[in-house]
Amino acid sequence: NNIKSAFVVSCIGSVRSATIRVAITKQGSEKPIRHLRGHFVLANVQGTLSSSYSRICGQFGTLAGEVFGGQLLEDVIVESPCECVVCELSGIDFDRTPPPPERRLTNPEGTLQVSPSARPDAAATGAAAAAAAA
């Protein structure tokens, strides 16, 4: 949809499949990948979206009350209606800068960059908000 910058406000529902990358616990360790299969409550989702890159994290609960969380990678299959609210930011562009080589293992996504939009439809309030955030 040519979204330059947006964020997930809220997302709930249930899923039967998801693949997540769990955060590392110490320097130099790999980020483990976990494949969730079964019935899970989608308890929380948050993240940023842009035309060049998106980073979304989620928390999934089991019937036994266990919770698994991490960065969503692929194959999220919704089991029942999923309610997601996404807010697009007018006048702001999101982008990512790659991490330096020594940080690629601990921060492969790089750093989120927020800048005033160069789009002609950018609202002045959004550009002012981006400048204030920088």
Side-chain angles (χ1 to χ4, degrees), residues 45-109:
V45 173
Q46 62 270 342
T48 55
L49 305 119
S50 75
S51 58
S52 63
Y53 184 87
S54 297
R55 184 173 182 195
I56 307 294
C57 294
Q59 296 173 344
F60 304 87
T62 68
L63 295 174
E66 299 172 294
V67 176
F68 302 98
Q71 182 178 353
L72 299 180
L73 296 181
E74 56 193 36
D75 77 349
V76 176
I77 298 176
V78 174
E79 189 168 56
S80 68
C82 188
E83 302 170 9
C84 291
V85 177
V86 176
C87 180
E88 184 174 7
L89 300 169
S90 178
I92 296 174
D93 289 343
F94 287 163
D95 201 1
R96 292 248 172 218
T97 56
E102 67 274 9
R103 301 272 335 260
R104 290 205 176 120
L105 184 61
T106 59
N107 183 19
E109 293 83 19

